[in-house]
Amino acid sequence: MKMELIIRNGFVFDPINGVKGEKMDIAVRDGKIVERVNERKALEIDASGMLVMPGGVDIHCHIAGSEVNAGRLLRPEDHFKYSERKTATTRSGSGHSVPSTFTTGYRYSRMGYTTIMNPAMPPLMAKHTHKELNDTPMVDKGSFPLLGDWWFVLEHLSNGRIEECARYVAWLMTSTKGYAVKIVNPGGVEAWGFGHNVHSLDEQVPNFNITPREIIRGLCKVNKLLNLPHTIHVHTNNLGKPGNYTTTLETMKCVEDLAADDKPVIHITHCQFSAFKGSDWKTLRSGAEEIARYVNNHSHVTLDMGQVVFTDTTTMTADAPFQYTLHELTGSKWTNQDVETETSVGIVPFRYRRKSYVHAMQWSIGLELALLIKDPWKIFLTTDHPNAGPFTAYPRIISWLMSRRAREATMKKINRRAQSKSLLPSITRELDFYEIAVMTRAGQAKALGLKDKGHLGVGADADIAVYKINPEELDPSRDYKIVRKAFRRAAYTVKGGEIVARNGEILKHVKGATLWLKVKTSQQTKVNEDLKRRFRDYWTVEYENYPVSENSLDISHPINVEAKI
Amino acid sequence: MRTVKHVTCPVCGCLCDDLELTIKDEKVVKVKNGCALCKAKFLGYSKHRVLKPLVRKNGRFFEVSYEEAVSRAAEILTEANYPLLYGWSMTSCEAVSAGIELAEEIGGVIDTTSTLCHGPSTLGIQDVGISSATLGQVRHRADLIVYWGSNPLIAHPRHMERYTIFRKGRFQKEKRKLIVVDVRKTETAETADIFLQIKPNMDYEVLQALRALIRDQELDVDEVAGIPTERLEEIADTMVECRFGALFFGSGLTMTRGKNRNIDAVLSLVSDLNKLTKFIAMPMRGHFNVTGADMILTWQTGYPYAVDFSLGYPRYNPGETSAVDILLREESDAALVVASDPVASLPRKAAEHLAENPLIVVDPHMSATARMADVVLPSTFVGIESGGTAYRMDHVPLPLKKIVEPPEGILSDEEILRIILSEVKRKKAEQMENP
C-alpha cells in the first residue's frame, strides 16, 4: 500500500534537525518522512498559518498495567462523570485520572501525541501490562520493568558482580519486552516487604548487604554495559518528603563519575516530588534553585517535571512505602500490591487544592524547575500521569511555561503563603514554541534513544502533529488561552503516515506498536540455565511461563541492542 | 505417548502452573502434581460434550451448522433491546475481550460470576482499598496465615501447599501459624493452630471487635459471636505480633449477612494492622479466570463487572446493572451465557427469567443452562483444547496451553464470539441500508 501525504506551508518546529519555525512542506510515504512525493497524487493537508511538529512523546506516564488497573478498580468515582460514548470509529470508555485503555489512546491522539512510555512494569505482571498496551490504540508505546529491588540485582550487585547482573538484566528486559531500566526508591521497596523503608543513599537495605547508592551506581554501570538506548530512569529515595532535594542532588552526584562524552547517564523522573526543601510540611520550601543550578552545570542528567495541576487525581507508584505515608496523611482509601522477588505498588486517591500551602508549593516547584533549567533538552514536560495530574493537563502546563501572565493568573488564586514563598514571580522566562517542541517531543525522544521518533527528518516515522497556531501572529504570552486550546485539540494528528485525528475527532482507530529491547549478550545460555535452576526458589510461577511471548504483542517492534559483554 | 510440562490448571483461582500431563491418543491419561479437582477435570472433561451446534425449533433441538447457529444467535442479539451477556469466569481473557466488544456493539449488559461470589469484595475494595500482595510474597515472608470463611483444603486444594503453610520461603524462620475462622469445623480448620468457631452471620461483629482490640480499646462485653473477649484479645495480639500476616477470605465472608460491609470490615482491619506490622488480605477467587474477567472489564471500561452499555458508554451500578437484579426485574430480553452454568447457581426467580429469554449458550458441556437454551454453540475446553491467558487470584497472569486437539470442527469461545460479533455487525449494517 503506497500512502502519500504532504503537509504544506506549515511553520515547522523540528528541533532535532535544527528547524525553528520555517515555512516548509513535509512529505510522507508509507509511514515515513521522505524527501518528496508525487504532489498530484498525495493527500494534502493545508497547514498554512499552523504549527507543524513531530508527534508528541511522553517519557513517563502510568497508563497501563497492574498498578494502573488497580487504580481504575479502586476508583469508580473517577469514571462516572467522564464517560466516552462509542462512535463509528471509536470504542467507549470512561475515566478522568485513570481512564480506560481505548480512551487513553484517543485522548493522547487528540493532543497530537504519538509515542508514550509506561514507566512502571512489575516484571511478573509484564503480560498484563502488554495486554493493556495492546488495547491502547493510536500511539506507539514501551514499558520500563522495575529492577531496582529485584533480588537478582540486589544479590549480584552486593557481591560486586556487575557483568553477571547485566546479563540477568538483559534476560529480564527481553523476557518482559521492556524498554528501559526503572529504579524506584531503591532498597526502600524491598524493605517495604516487611513494612519498612530506607531513608538515605547509604542506609543498609534490610536482609541484603547493599545500599541504595550501590544499587543506583550498579545499575548505571549495567545500563552502560548493555548499551541500552535510554539511561537508568530513577525515582529517588525519600520522594515526597520535605528536605529531599539533598537526596536528589546526591543521587545525581553519585553517578557523576560514570558519565563520559557529555552524555546523560541518569534520568531523574517527576523531579518536582524530589525537590522539597524544609524540615516538615510547615516549613516546606522549593529546592528547585539548587537542583537547577546543579543540572545547569552538569551534562549527565536529564529530568522530567512531574508538574502538579489542581484537580482530583489518583496517585500510584512502585514506591509503596511512600504511598502508605500518603494514605496516613490524607486518610484516603489505600491499595497496596507487593510483587514477589521484584517490587511493589501503592495507590491513593488525591486532590491537589489551590488553597493548600503544600500543593501550591508543589505546583510552583515543577514550573520553577522547568524555567530555571536553561537547557530544554534536559527537562521534559510530564505530570507523572496520573500522580501530579492527568496527562490531559499538558496544554495548560504549556501555557504556564510560555506565559508569565498565565502563571500570574493561577498564582493569584493559590494559597497566600505559597504566593510569598514561590520563586515564580522572580522568573521572567517565557518559553517559545521551539523550546516547547523540545520539551514535549524532541528532547524526550532523544533521551529515550528513539532514533525514528521526535523529529521530521527524512527516514523518521511519520508521526506528526499540526496545531492551529500562527506563530507570526500570535503572542503566546498574551494569548495563552488560545495556545492552550490549540494544544488540547490538534488540527491534525498523523500516526504512521495516516491522518488519525482532526480537530479533536478520532478519524481512525489504529493500533500502535510496542517498542522493546532485544538485548544480546555473550554467555546468555549460562544465565538462562542458572535462572531456570533457581527459578522456583524465587517465584511461584514456572520459568517457562514467565516470559512475554513476542506473538502476544499485537504489533511488535523489537529494537536490537548489542551489549558490550 | 507424550508429556507436556508446566501446564496451567484451568480449575480454580490458584492457577497452579506446574502440571505435567501425559497424553496418549489425544487424551490426557496421567496428571502429575495436580490436586483431586485438577485430575478430575483433565481426566474426565470429555464426558457430556455437545459436539454439534443446536438450535431450538418448535421446542426441540436440531443439530445445525455453526453458520446457522451463529446467524440465529446474531439475530437474537441484534433484535434485543437489553441483552444480558453473562458468565466469563471459565474462559480466556481473549474470549472475554471479544465478549466486551460484543456487549458494546449490541448495547447490552456484561456481567461475570463475580456478581454471585466476590462482587462484594470488589465493592469493599472500592470503599476502603486493599493491602495485598502476590502469593509469592506471602510464601517468602508470612509467619501468620488466616483463612476466614474459606476452606482451601477442599476448594483450593494446593493453596496451602504452594503458597502459604507448607511452601518454604526465603525469610521464613519457623513453622507458620495458621488461624482459621469459620462457622463450622472445616477440613482446613482441623489443621489450624487456632480455630475460631463463630456464630453464623456474625463475622462483621468479630471483625469490628478485632479492629477495636488492635487499637488497644477495651471491649465492655464478655463475648462476641460466641467467642470470649479474652480469646479475641489473644487473636488480636497474635495478629499484631506477627512479622508478616496474610488473611485470605472466601464466600463464607462475602455471601453471608453484611456482604460488602463484611469486606469493608476485613479490609479495614488489615489496613489498620499495617500501622503496627505488615499485613495483607486477598479474596480466594474461585473459578480459574474470574480474576481475569474482572481485570479486562476494568481496563477496557473502567468497571470490573455489571457493566451496562445500553446508553452507548459503560455504566456501573451493582444492584441495578448486575445480572441477578436485571433478571429479577425481568428487564433483559435476550441472554448470552458463556463458560458458566447460571441456571444451576442463580436464585430460582432469576433463573426462570433467564430461561424465558431467547437464550444463547456457548459451552463445551450440555449444562443445565444449555438445556434451556434456544441456541447452543459448543466450544473447546479453554486450557486443554485451546490456549489463552488467565489471571491467578493475586492478579498474576499465566498462559493457558492448548494440550490436545479439540473434537473435529469445534471452535473456541473466542472464535465463536468473534464470528457472532462480525455477524452482528453485518446484520446491523444491513438494517442501516434497508430500514
Side-chain angles (χ1 to χ4, degrees):
Chain A
M1 189 181 63
K2 285 229 186 282
M3 277 272 294
E4 295 195 341
L5 176 72
I6 184 155
I7 303 172
R8 282 197 187 282
N9 278 324
F11 296 98
V12 176
F13 285 89
D14 179 11
I16 286 177
N17 296 305
V19 181
K20 298 184 178 183
E22 289 142 45
K23 242 189 206 175
M24 51 197 278
D25 297 346
I26 302 289
V28 170
R29 184 186 307 119
D30 297 335
K32 293 277 180 189
I33 309 274
V34 292
E35 285 282 359
R36 63 178 60 82
V37 288
N38 182 336
E39 300 196 2
R40 274 177 303 173
K41 281 191 185 163
L43 189 66
E44 185 179 308
I45 292 178
D46 179 9
S48 314
M50 297 195 208
L51 290 182
V52 177
M53 291 184 178
V57 178
D58 198 338
I59 198 167
H60 192 107
C61 53
H62 300 260
I63 53 143
S66 53
E67 87 283 18
V68 179
N69 216 34
R72 291 189 192 104
L73 177 77
L74 181 66
R75 301 213 63 199
E77 73 277 11
D78 179 82
H79 319 328
F80 289 139
K81 283 185 289 181
Y82 300 88
S83 300
E84 299 216 7
R85 202 177 279 274
K86 170 183 157 52
T87 70
T89 44
T90 62
R91 300 286 304 270
S92 66
S94 71
H96 168 60
S97 64
V98 270
S100 50
T101 49
F102 306 124
T103 299
T104 299
Y106 302 143
R107 287 188 189 161
Y108 263 110
S109 192
R110 285 187 189 119
M111 299 196 308
Y113 273 70
T114 49
T115 304
I116 52 188
M117 286 290 158
N118 184 58
M121 174 163 75
L124 180 60
M125 309 295 204
K127 288 189 192 72
H128 179 138
T129 308
H130 287 296
K131 277 198 158 294
E132 282 199 30
L133 289 177
N134 280 342
D135 281 348
T136 307
M138 318 305 286
V139 287
D140 291 339
K141 49 249 164 174
S143 237
F144 306 163
L146 290 151
L147 292 173
D149 294 83
W150 183 30
W151 286 354
F152 281 92
V153 164
L154 302 184
E155 286 164 5
H156 284 309
L157 292 182
S158 69
N159 291 319
R161 298 192 296 251
I162 301 283
E163 291 202 0
E164 283 87 340
C165 185
R167 290 195 175 91
Y168 280 79
V169 169
W171 171 82
L172 191 121
M173 194 63 72
T174 305
S175 297
T176 62
K177 306 292 175 272
Y179 188 83
V181 173
K182 177 73 182 296
I183 305 171
V184 173
N185 182 9
V189 175
E190 162 52 37
W192 178 245
F194 284 114
H196 306 297
N197 197 357
V198 295
H199 307 89
S200 80
L201 278 183
D202 297 308
E203 191 175 322
Q204 194 81 196
V205 180
N207 299 312
F208 290 87
N209 185 25
I210 197 165
T211 64
R213 180 188 302 275
E214 288 160 349
I215 300 173
I216 297 167
R217 283 182 61 80
L219 283 173
C220 189
K221 290 176 194 164
V222 162
N223 207 78
K224 289 178 75 181
L225 281 177
L226 293 179
N227 264 329
L228 305 187
H230 184 34
T231 60
I232 50 170
H233 194 99
V234 181
H235 161 136
T236 64
N237 297 105
N238 287 330
L239 178 135
K241 287 184 200 151
N244 63 12
Y245 82 103
T246 53
T247 309
T248 307
L249 288 173
E250 274 183 67
T251 305
M252 295 188 287
K253 275 180 202 158
C254 93
V255 292
E256 221 177 277
D257 62 310
L258 302 178
D261 317 326
D262 282 351
K263 275 194 189 143
V265 291
I266 188 168
H267 180 84
I268 304 286
T269 190
H270 39 70
C271 191
Q272 171 271 129
F273 288 111
S274 301
F276 299 169
K277 219 194 256 186
S279 51
D280 56 27
W281 294 115
K282 278 203 188 98
T283 58
L284 179 81
R285 297 286 184 278
S286 167
E289 248 180 325
E290 285 79 358
I291 289 177
R293 191 177 311 133
Y294 181 86
V295 174
N296 285 336
N297 288 318
H298 293 83
S299 51
H300 69 288
V301 193
T302 57
L303 309 144
D304 66 88
M305 291 166 73
Q307 176 60 36
V308 160
V309 287
F310 300 112
T311 182
D312 186 81
T313 195
T314 310
T315 64
M316 55 179 67
T317 99
D319 194 348
F322 166 67
Q323 291 297 116
Y324 182 68
T325 310
L326 208 55
H327 157 65
E328 288 208 301
L329 208 60
T330 60
S332 295
K333 55 188 177 181
W334 165 62
T335 281
N336 181 84
Q337 171 87 349
D338 295 347
V339 180
E340 62 204 64
T341 311
E342 297 169 353
T343 183
S344 185
V345 63
I347 301 152
V348 179
F350 200 84
R351 175 176 280 277
Y352 291 99
R353 290 175 295 122
R354 282 185 282 124
K355 296 300 179 191
S356 150
Y357 171 68
V358 172
H359 304 172
M361 283 304 288
Q362 286 186 270
W363 170 78
S364 179
I365 290 169
L367 293 173
E368 291 165 19
L369 282 167
L371 294 165
L372 292 173
I373 291 172
K374 290 177 193 150
D375 182 355
W377 294 92
K378 287 182 180 171
I379 181 152
F380 313 126
L381 193 160
T382 67
T383 58
D384 182 17
H385 164 84
N387 283 296
F391 63 82
T392 41
Y394 290 172
R396 185 167 295 272
I397 299 168
I398 290 174
S399 70
W400 283 327
L401 293 172
M402 298 191 80
S403 161
R404 236 185 129 177
R405 281 174 215 227
R407 300 200 284 270
E408 280 163 3
T410 305
M411 183 68 96
K412 268 190 253 163
K413 294 187 278 186
I414 65 170
N415 176 285
R416 292 280 288 277
R417 213 169 124 244
Q419 287 180 23
S420 68
K421 304 292 179 203
S422 169
L423 308 177
L424 283 181
S426 65
I427 301 174
T428 54
R429 185 174 172 204
E430 293 180 325
L431 303 188
D432 58 24
F433 288 114
Y434 176 82
E435 288 168 312
I436 291 297
V438 176
M439 287 180 70
T440 57
R441 44 265 287 161
Q444 311 217 19
K446 188 178 165 212
L448 287 165
L450 290 168
K451 294 202 168 57
D452 300 334
K453 305 279 183 197
H455 72 103
L456 299 174
V458 169
D461 289 344
D463 298 348
I464 308 162
V466 181
Y467 299 105
K468 252 185 212 140
I469 293 174
N470 186 331
E472 283 184 347
E473 287 171 6
L474 181 130
D475 173 8
S477 172
R478 200 185 58 229
D479 300 322
Y480 62 86
K481 285 184 182 161
I482 299 176
V483 170
R484 202 178 275 173
K485 208 173 145 196
F487 278 106
R488 207 172 278 155
R489 286 166 179 267
Y492 294 93
T493 305
V494 175
K495 174 82 198 68
E498 287 183 279
I499 304 174
V500 292
R502 187 178 56 209
N503 294 327
E505 191 195 343
I506 302 297
L507 301 181
K508 193 172 179 197
H509 175 113
V510 293
K511 280 183 182 288
T514 300
L515 310 166
W516 60 280
L517 305 182
K518 205 178 221 172
V519 189
K520 229 175 118 186
T521 64
S522 62
Q523 300 173 33
Q524 201 61 43
T525 330
K526 206 178 125 215
V527 169
N528 295 357
E529 285 306 311
D530 180 55
L531 267 160
K532 197 172 173 177
R533 194 164 43 75
R534 296 161 68 192
F535 210 82
R536 285 181 180 172
D537 295 337
Y538 288 73
W539 286 277
T540 51
V541 302
E542 299 285 288
Y543 169 81
E544 288 75 7
N545 292 331
Y546 186 89
V548 177
S549 66
E550 187 173 357
N551 62 22
S552 69
L553 307 177
D554 278 355
I555 302 179
S556 168
H557 184 98
I559 294 162
N560 289 309
V561 177
E562 291 284 338
K564 289 181 198 154
I565 48 161
Chain B
M1 290 262 272
R2 61 191 167 98
T3 52
V4 191
K5 290 182 178 177
H6 322 292
V7 174
T8 306
C9 172
V11 177
C12 81
C14 283
L15 226 58
C16 308
D17 68 331
D18 60 345
L19 309 182
E20 262 187 65
L21 304 183
T22 310
I23 319 290
K24 196 180 165 189
D25 303 330
E26 285 308 285
K27 274 209 172 85
V28 182
V29 293
K30 199 176 145 204
V31 181
K32 203 177 142 193
N33 294 341
C35 67
L37 300 179
C38 164
K39 284 182 180 151
K41 175 146 187 182
F42 275 108
L43 301 175
Y45 73 91
S46 56
K47 291 167 196 158
H48 313 295
R49 286 298 283 268
V50 196
L51 293 169
K52 278 277 181 195
L54 303 171
V55 168
R56 194 182 293 276
K57 291 172 192 162
N58 302 322
R60 276 185 53 215
F61 276 134
F62 288 89
E63 288 190 355
V64 295
S65 64
Y66 267 112
E67 288 71 28
E68 194 179 334
V70 163
S71 171
R72 178 74 191 114
E75 195 176 276
I76 291 172
L77 295 172
T78 323
E79 282 170 8
N81 282 317
Y82 198 52
L84 171 66
L85 287 71
Y86 181 80
W88 311 107
S89 52
M90 301 268 278
T91 188
S92 68
C93 290
E94 291 73 13
V96 178
S97 191
I100 298 169
E101 194 171 348
L102 179 60
E104 186 191 51
E105 185 66 39
I106 59 179
V109 174
I110 183 162
D111 197 7
T112 74
T113 57
S114 281
T115 213
L116 290 180
C117 59
H118 276 282
S121 304
T122 301
L123 297 178
I125 292 168
Q126 289 174 337
D127 277 345
V128 300
I130 181 169
S131 163
S132 201
T134 64
L135 289 162
Q137 189 79 344
V138 176
R139 166 206 167 184
H140 285 304
R141 297 179 198 258
D143 55 354
L144 174 66
I145 305 290
V146 184
Y147 287 107
W148 196 305
S150 93
N151 186 11
L153 276 183
I154 300 301
H156 298 85
R158 293 183 72 205
H159 197 266
M160 294 166 82
E161 160 199 333
R162 273 174 64 81
Y163 308 122
T164 63
I165 297 296
F166 306 116
R167 184 80 177 263
K168 260 187 85 65
R170 182 174 186 131
F171 300 118
Q172 185 192 356
K173 289 188 181 131
E174 52 202 25
K175 191 176 165 286
R176 307 175 213 256
K177 195 171 264 181
L178 173 63
I179 301 180
V180 172
V181 185
D182 215 315
V183 295
R184 61 186 178 90
K185 192 154 194 182
T186 60
E187 292 78 357
T188 311
E190 300 275 357
T191 69
D193 298 298
I194 303 173
F195 171 51
L196 221 51
Q197 185 164 7
I198 63 173
K199 286 184 185 160
N201 286 321
M202 294 194 76
D203 302 79
Y204 186 82
E205 287 83 343
V206 178
L207 288 164
Q208 296 293 26
L210 287 171
R211 284 188 75 192
L213 291 171
I214 66 155
R215 290 165 185 232
D216 295 327
Q217 291 171 5
E218 285 190 26
L219 298 185
D220 292 333
V221 291
D222 298 331
E223 53 99 20
V224 179
I227 312 290
T229 304
E230 297 85 62
R231 188 141 162 79
L232 284 178
E233 279 166 358
E234 282 167 34
I235 304 286
D237 284 346
T238 309
M239 287 178 155
V240 168
E241 281 159 13
C242 76
R243 195 152 77 118
F244 186 118
L247 187 154
F248 298 91
F249 56 94
S251 42
L253 197 59
T254 64
M255 281 293 145
T256 53
R257 197 181 67 170
K259 290 198 168 178
N260 53 315
R261 297 299 166 207
N262 292 342
I263 310 308
D264 271 18
V266 77
L267 297 180
S268 299
L269 170 67
V270 168
S271 190
D272 292 352
L273 279 162
N274 279 280
K275 282 194 180 67
L276 307 159
T277 180
K278 177 89 184 184
F279 228 101
I280 70 106
M282 196 185 302
M284 296 286 278
R285 304 306 302 265
H287 295 310
F288 74 87
N289 197 27
V290 66
T291 308
D294 284 10
M295 288 288 107
I296 298 205
L297 270 161
T298 305
W299 83 61
Q300 293 195 352
T301 74
Y303 309 114
Y305 69 107
V307 180
D308 181 330
F309 286 105
S310 61
L311 296 179
Y313 56 85
R315 279 194 320 127
Y316 165 75
N317 190 17
E320 180 204 344
T321 60
S322 33
V324 177
D325 304 274
I326 288 167
L327 292 169
L328 288 178
R329 290 197 307 269
E330 303 187 356
E331 281 185 341
S332 61
D333 57 354
L336 168 72
V337 171
V338 179
S340 170
D341 190 10
V343 165
S345 53
L346 283 174
R348 190 176 54 82
K349 280 240 172 243
E352 275 171 18
H353 182 70
L354 182 73
E356 279 166 24
N357 276 167
L359 177 62
I360 305 149
V361 171
V362 180
D363 205 294
H365 280 130
M366 198 63 201
S367 65
T369 309
R371 286 178 211 288
M372 309 278 183
D374 296 280
V375 181
V376 179
L377 288 149
S379 62
T380 57
F381 276 93
V382 177
I384 303 176
E385 298 165 343
S386 58
T389 312
Y391 277 69
R392 207 162 71 178
M393 61 166 72
D394 57 353
H395 302 183
V396 172
L398 284 161
L400 299 166
K401 281 201 177 83
K402 175 178 174 176
I403 298 151
V404 296
E405 285 299 323
E408 206 184 322
I410 298 291
L411 304 177
S412 70
D413 293 335
E414 185 194 358
E415 289 166 324
I416 292 169
L417 290 160
R418 289 271 165 220
I419 53 176
I420 295 178
L421 177 64
S422 63
E423 183 63 14
V424 162
K425 283 185 178 169
R426 199 186 62 77
K427 278 193 171 18
K428 279 175 76 176
E430 221 173 70
Q431 280 172 6
M432 293 274 269
E433 279 168 26
N434 318 300

